[in-house]
Amino acid sequence: MATVYSLVCWGGLTGKVVSISATTDVVTLTNHGLRNGAKLWPSGTLPSELNTSTPVYARSTGTNTFTLLTIS
C-alpha cells in the first residue's frame, strides 16, 4: 500500500512547522524526508492554487525544502 503524506499530519502529530513561500513556492519542513514524486493531499487553509480534492507531488530541493507539482 502506498504511503500518503499530509501537511496537517506532519504539523499536528509531530509539532513541526510547515511554511510555504508565496514568492518562491518553496515549502519548508525540517528534515522532510520526502522522495521526489511523493503524493500529498493538501488540507486545511490553502492558497487558491491548491484544493483538497486534487493531489500534489513533492519535488525535493533540499533536506528542509521541497516544491509542489500538480503532476508526478
Side-chain angles (χ1 to χ4, degrees), residues 6-66:
S6 165
L7 293 176
V8 171
C9 177
W10 287 331
L13 292 182
T14 63
K16 290 187 176 185
V17 175
V18 178
S19 63
I20 302 174
S21 169
T23 305
T24 63
D25 295 330
V26 171
V27 180
T28 301
L29 175 63
T30 304
N31 297 319
H32 62 71
L34 291 170
R35 288 185 233 140
N36 289 334
K39 187 183 221 178
L40 308 168
W41 289 91
S43 62
T45 304
L46 301 168
S48 61
E49 298 84 6
L50 300 175
N51 66 69
T52 58
S53 60
T54 304
V56 291
Y57 301 87
R59 184 177 72 79
S60 180
T61 56
T63 302
N64 301 316
T65 58
F66 60 96

